[in-house]
Amino acid sequence: MDTSITLTVDGRRHDVVVDTRTTLLDALRERLAVTSAKKGCDHGQCGSCTVLLEGRRHLTCLTLAVAHDGDEIVTAAGVSALEGGAGDDAPTSLHPLQEAFLAHDGLQCGYCTPGQVCSAIGMLDEAKQGHPSHVTDDLEESVDPADLDDDEVRERMSGNLCRCGAYGGIVDAIREVAGGAPREGQPDRPAQPEREAAR
Amino acid sequence: MKELTYVRPTDARDAVARVSDDPHARFLGGGTNLVDHLKLGLLTPDVLVDVSRLPLDEVTRLDDGTLRIGTNVRNSDLAAHPVVRSSYPAVTRALLAGASGQIRNQATTGGNLLQRTRCVYFQDVTTPCNKREPGSGCSAIGGYGRYDAVLGASEACVATHPSDLAVALAALDAVVVVLGRDGERRVPMSDFHRLPGHHPETDTTLAHGELVTSVELPPESALTRASDYRKVRDRASYAFALVSVAAALELDGDVVRDVRIAWGGVAHRPWRAAAAEEALRGETYSEEAVRAAAELELAAAVTGPDNAYKIPMVRNATAYALRGLADRSSERTGATR
């Protein structure tokens, strides 16, 4: 059964006819050529397909496109336009979290990175709203993103796997953007002259 | 995947009518489990009736203090709700111990209770499974048995229920509100999930077409406030329970005024440890007494070489959960023990 739906992706409105069996991930990648959301496991176990859906981090592999008629989606390719990002007028620029991933080597092959970035932005927003996590000691105490320690960041990001094992850099990048102190023994931001020069 | 018709009903009654009238129709909520089952070929419905946008997404306190949780309240929103955090901490702890941040944003309250077992054979269509295909046999019996149930299993099925939330709701005597063609009925959590018996294909006591519309928690009390959830799993995060414990404890000095214990990962449904509770109620609290009570509850357990570890694990987890609650109780009252 074909159904006509409208999706807004990274600020652009798309009208598309999808078979009802199409996942949101396949609609993005195969129908709209939005390849920033990656297909890893396709079963909700790896997090590489994470986007911001109506402002919240969300998997796209475990949901049908037809159930999202009218929804607004932001992928890692569009996060620089978000509040706190570089802004609409600089479409090639990066969100501070993406900059931090580069600065802290929060990636190697890069396949999981778009999902990590969307998940981290959504996670920090949840923390800003005061959401506790499994490792939060006192459920009634308020939560501040700047206070998230390694255990908190790792627990809150456990839905995103990185087969290259860049977790240390990912945690550093997220903690820098959250406004927290760097990990013990870690410099504030490692110097990377060759990367600066390349840009 | 088989061809599917997708419909989005306008209200709960319409949704119930559409599924009740068609044996090949299914409700679709958050979809985290159902969409995976469509992909794996475990389910082949003709019609999906999407209830995820029905306005059943509020948490409200009723006049008598009951906390009503709409079926579409997302797991993350329920976990973060201030009243749930302070008055029913076992519920928040159970939710936060389950799935990932992304999945908690998507998964619904009702859907969480209706998720299916993660038994590896149930999810593998190339193997016999009585739950997936009645009468085909059970591959878990004599197969990989590490996750198998130790209580209430049958010759037809040894699967466990995967929900963390359901265990907390069972401990706190929650009630599931269900809408059917003939109107609304209220199902206590203790009657909501069933043991496998000869019909492991059926997880709950719901009839086809009945829709969970809300879950109700009893008015907050000293007992609900002193509740907790402990989960033991293979890795620190994002894994299903090997065993889990939802507990609540009200002490009067050293004496157990009231106690609630429910176990996850041990049976085809959340296992309310009623015999253990009964053994502890009115007695002097001690860790030995808790262990003895757990032992009593486990007297009927049946294990194999792969899952025998669950017996000491659930006993230890129970002692750990209650010790934490007892310590907090004595901190509050200044009592020494």
Side-chain angles (χ1 to χ4, degrees), chain B residues 70-243:
Chain B
T71 191
N72 281 335
V73 175
R74 302 301 186 213
N75 287 181
S76 49
D77 293 330
L78 183 58
H81 194 281
V83 174
V84 179
R85 280 159 77 169
S86 62
S87 305
Y88 308 91
V91 172
T92 288
R93 288 287 180 202
L95 287 163
L96 294 177
S100 67
Q102 291 96 313
I103 290 180
R104 289 192 294 271
N105 277 341
Q106 184 177 343
T108 64
T109 304
N112 187 307
L113 303 185
L114 294 169
Q115 63 179 310
R116 311 296 308 274
T117 184
R118 283 349 188 252
C119 175
V120 291
Y121 299 104
F122 174 71
Q123 296 183 100
D124 178 357
V125 293
T126 66
T127 62
C129 168
N130 287 323
K131 185 180 277 299
R132 178 168 24 81
E133 218 173 301
S136 63
C138 174
S139 304
I141 296 174
Y144 183 75
R146 193 156 176 273
Y147 304 129
D148 290 0
V150 296
L151 287 166
S154 72
E155 282 172 16
C157 183
V158 291
T160 57
H161 197 269
S163 169
D164 294 295
L165 173 64
V167 181
L169 295 180
L172 297 178
D173 290 318
V175 172
V176 185
V177 183
V178 172
L179 183 68
R181 221 180 343 206
D182 302 327
E184 197 174 88
R185 68 186 182 103
R186 303 162 54 76
V187 186
M189 269 303 285
S190 52
D191 295 335
F192 186 77
H193 295 98
R194 55 184 294 285
L195 291 176
H198 297 300
H199 290 285
E201 70 275 14
T202 311
D203 292 350
T204 69
T205 55
L206 294 184
H208 181 75
E210 281 190 313
L211 177 71
V212 173
T213 53
S214 66
V215 172
E216 291 183 355
L217 283 165
E220 66 166 286
S221 64
L223 195 66
T224 68
R225 282 190 295 271
S227 66
D228 201 358
Y229 185 76
R230 302 281 182 171
K231 179 175 179 179
V232 187
R233 43 188 163 170
D234 278 328
R235 52 181 189 235
S237 188
Y238 201 14
F240 289 94
L242 299 171
V243 306

Side-chain angles (χ1 to χ4, degrees), chain A residues 45-109:
Chain A
Q45 297 169 1
C46 76
S48 67
C49 68
T50 304
V51 300
L52 296 166
L53 181 87
E54 297 289 294
R56 303 175 74 168
R57 57 177 169 162
H58 202 287
L59 301 177
T60 51
C61 72
L62 288 185
T63 193
L64 299 175
V66 71
H68 294 286
D69 184 24
D71 280 358
E72 186 167 343
I73 292 156
V74 176
T75 74
V79 292
S80 74
L82 293 174
E83 193 185 336
D88 265 327
D89 51 340
T92 56
S93 65
L94 299 178
H95 187 278
L97 197 78
Q98 292 169 314
E99 296 274 9
F101 264 66
L102 286 174
H104 291 279
D105 279 336
L107 69 152
Q108 187 177 317
C109 83

Side-chain angles (χ1 to χ4, degrees), chain A residues 1 20-21 42-44 50 56-58 61-62 67 71 126 130 134 136-137 139-140 155 158 160, chain B residues 1-6 8 31-32 36 39 53 76-77 85-86 93 96 102 105-106 233 237-238:
Chain A
M1 177 186 158
T20 46
R21 292 168 287 186
D42 208 26
H43 290 283
T50 304
R56 303 175 74 168
R57 57 177 169 162
H58 202 287
C61 72
L62 288 185
D71 280 358
E126 290 159 14
H134 172 63
T136 305
D137 280 336
L139 290 183
E140 294 187 65
E155 163 60 29
S158 70
N160 291 81
Chain B
M1 215 186 285
K2 203 169 98 183
E3 279 240 38
L4 274 176
T5 301
Y6 170 91
R8 197 182 278 182
T32 56
D36 200 31
K39 291 184 186 185
R53 302 212 183 195
S76 49
D77 293 330
R85 280 159 77 169
S86 62
R93 288 287 180 202
L96 294 177
Q102 291 96 313
N105 277 341
Q106 184 177 343
R233 43 188 163 170
S237 188
Y238 201 14

